[in-house]
Amino acid sequence: MKPSKAVVILKDNLWSNNPIFIQILGICSTLAVTNNLSNTLVMTVGVALTTAFSSMTLSALKGLIPRKVRMIVQVVVISFYVILIDILLRAYLPEASRQLGPYVGLIITNCIIMGRAEAFAQANPPFLSFWDGLTSGLGYMAVLMAIAVVRELLGFGTLFGLRVMPAGFVPWTIMIMAPSAFFLVAMVMWWAKSMQAGRQAAGKEAKK
Amino acid sequence: MTPLINPVTLFFASIFTSNILLTNFLGMCSFISISKDWKSSFGLGMAVTVVMTITAAVSWLVLEYVIAPLGLEYLSFIVFIVVIAAVVQILEMVIDRASPALYMSLGIFLPLITVNCAILGAILFMQIRRYGFIQAVAFGAGSGLGWWLAILLLAAIRERTEKNPVPAGLKGPGITMITIGFMAMAFIGFSGMIAVQ
């Protein structure tokens, strides 16, 4: 049976075309908060929802927007959703909102959202675009959560603020600081690319 | 309350100790794709610096005299984005008229800048830290120069590592991320020289 389009999109966005390790998009706004799991969770959920809803909106509006002002309309639609998220966070998670500070607003310039709006929502119906945006966000979330687990576990000895490591554990200060995030992203890229290369080679062998 | 920071200190701090790219991860997308080429990096860095300085000043004025009196803080994200887009557009037209030669080297990068996270990031930091006007301009200019410095350094390193043997899976973006990591570590060496949040 041929997999349906929705499944193909899911697979693409989670693995073979993952926004972080293949497209290298949107690292900016979230990497900075990956030394804390709960903040990363809040941020990535925000990114996933914004991508999904703005893709849907832009796909529904695509016939109405003149090409020349497309960029600015896209940005305004995205900012609209980000403002909603910011207000919700302030109301229900004031602590997280305070810690995230300017980074919530920076979801607007997250390249994934623009990228999906340009590459997918322009040519596809609203519901499929919504799904595409959501799964892209999930692919993004998976990688960043993995990085955040390593950084928080080794940097503070905690997960979601709960102590996991034994009392004698010496925290790795480097994990709290900026460079470790770059190294960990590189590790994820390395692992994913080698896996994909291996699978492709295996596929070629099988065809022979 | 405006914090008591000497604008000159703030200027140097935002270049070195709290480099917007290496400590706040802002502006990574264009950073990684453009830094393959030294000349384009130079042009983009220059454009970012110019736009960042001007937008910091303009959005400070807008924030102080339009948004705050009208109580429209919840709209500030949209206003900032529109300010950035407008400044970029005007700058593009001005440069095109004033110096076609400069336009050739700088102009192509200007549209890219509207969605560069570093610009919006600098403005949002400025808003949250409540900088005064001079501090805002110093911070904008310093952050822009810091970004310029980082992309030039990375482009120079990448030109040299291009032909080095790298494990297949790490080629391209992977090794670039590691290089940026080392640069970030080197920049940590500056911290403590100037203590500014």
Side-chain angles (χ1 to χ4, degrees):
Chain A
M1 202 187 91
K2 216 171 146 241
S4 73
K5 208 168 173 193
V7 178
V8 175
I9 293 175
L10 177 70
K11 235 189 211 166
D12 247 26
N13 284 334
L14 283 187
W15 178 246
S16 50
N17 202 13
N18 182 292
I20 293 199
F21 50 75
I22 305 298
Q23 302 179 47
I24 336 246
L25 284 182
I27 306 176
C28 1
S29 51
T30 312
L31 210 52
V33 296
T34 49
N35 56 12
N36 181 314
L37 254 176
S38 30
N39 285 350
T40 314
L41 185 66
V42 172
M43 270 299 277
T44 47
V45 168
V47 170
L49 289 180
T50 315
T51 320
F53 281 106
S54 54
S55 276
M56 183 176 76
T57 315
L58 289 166
S59 161
L61 291 178
K62 64 178 179 276
L64 300 172
I65 306 173
R67 277 196 77 79
K68 268 198 141 170
V69 293
R70 206 179 60 220
M71 269 274 270
I72 193 83
V73 175
Q74 285 171 346
V75 174
V76 171
V77 168
I78 296 168
S79 337
F80 168 73
Y81 285 111
V82 174
I83 289 176
L84 281 187
I85 286 180
D86 186 43
I87 292 175
L88 285 175
L89 279 183
R90 268 187 219 177
Y92 293 104
L93 295 168
E95 182 55 26
S97 162
R98 202 184 48 76
Q99 280 182 13
L100 289 173
Y103 291 102
V104 180
L106 283 171
I107 296 178
I108 299 173
T109 45
N110 190 310
C111 334
I112 294 180
I113 304 175
M114 278 293 241
R116 289 334 284 176
E118 270 295 289
F120 196 91
Q122 280 297 319
N124 287 285
F127 282 111
L128 216 51
S129 306
F130 179 85
W131 178 244
D132 175 74
L134 192 66
T135 47
S136 287
L138 290 180
Y140 179 73
M141 186 196 260
V143 176
L144 287 177
M145 286 302 278
I147 292 174
V149 166
V150 177
R151 284 187 74 185
E152 193 180 327
L153 189 66
L154 297 178
F156 295 103
T158 58
L159 284 179
F160 285 110
L162 299 171
R163 187 130 203 107
V164 195
M165 289 305 216
F169 173 73
V170 180
W172 300 16
T173 318
I174 183 81
M175 282 294 165
I176 306 171
M177 296 200 287
S180 68
F182 291 113
F183 293 135
L184 287 171
V185 171
M187 291 300 152
V188 174
M189 280 174 184
W190 191 1
W191 170 77
K193 280 210 167 155
S194 319
M195 289 284 285
Q196 287 179 351
R199 199 166 293 175
Q200 269 170 12
K204 268 182 201 159
E205 282 297 308
K207 266 179 199 161
K208 277 177 192 168
Chain B
M1 230 351 250
T2 310
L4 295 168
I5 306 167
N6 184 344
V8 180
T9 321
L10 187 63
F11 175 74
F12 286 105
S14 45
I15 298 180
F16 296 110
T17 56
S18 50
N19 187 297
I20 196 154
L21 199 130
L22 296 171
T23 57
N24 294 317
F25 308 99
L26 297 178
M28 292 285 297
C29 305
S30 39
F31 185 64
I32 291 182
S33 51
I34 299 291
S35 64
K36 273 179 213 134
D37 174 47
W38 202 86
K39 243 181 132 182
S40 320
S41 305
F42 191 85
L44 182 68
M46 185 156 65
V48 166
T49 312
V50 172
V51 173
M52 216 183 249
T53 316
I54 297 174
T55 49
V58 173
S59 25
W60 190 90
L61 293 172
V62 171
L63 191 64
E64 184 75 15
Y65 294 109
V66 181
I67 297 181
L70 297 177
L72 291 175
E73 275 87 1
Y74 61 93
L75 279 182
S76 50
F77 294 162
I78 289 191
V79 174
F80 290 152
I81 281 285
V82 172
V83 165
I84 297 173
V87 167
V88 168
Q89 198 78 58
I90 293 171
L91 205 65
E92 203 176 341
M93 290 191 293
V94 169
I95 294 177
D96 193 17
R97 283 286 162 78
S99 152
L102 186 63
Y103 184 75
M104 287 304 283
S105 65
L106 198 68
I108 44 168
F109 299 110
L110 283 172
L112 266 180
I113 285 179
T114 315
V115 288
N116 188 318
C117 354
I119 311 267
L120 182 65
I123 296 178
L124 291 175
F125 276 125
M126 173 197 93
Q127 183 193 15
I128 282 192
R129 296 181 190 157
R130 297 172 187 282
Y131 287 143
F133 183 71
I134 299 176
Q135 288 168 332
V137 175
F139 178 69
S143 301
L145 282 176
W147 202 89
W148 193 358
L149 177 69
I151 196 170
L152 279 186
L153 288 175
L154 181 69
I157 297 175
R158 277 186 82 171
E159 263 183 12
R160 279 166 186 68
T161 53
E162 196 87 308
K163 295 194 181 66
N164 292 6
V166 171
L170 264 183
K171 273 219 170 75
I175 195 70
T176 311
M177 292 303 286
I178 292 189
T179 316
I180 302 173
F182 281 124
M183 279 170 59
M185 280 175 86
F187 269 69
I188 285 181
F190 287 119
S191 65
M193 285 167 73
I194 315 171
V196 166
Q197 168 44 42

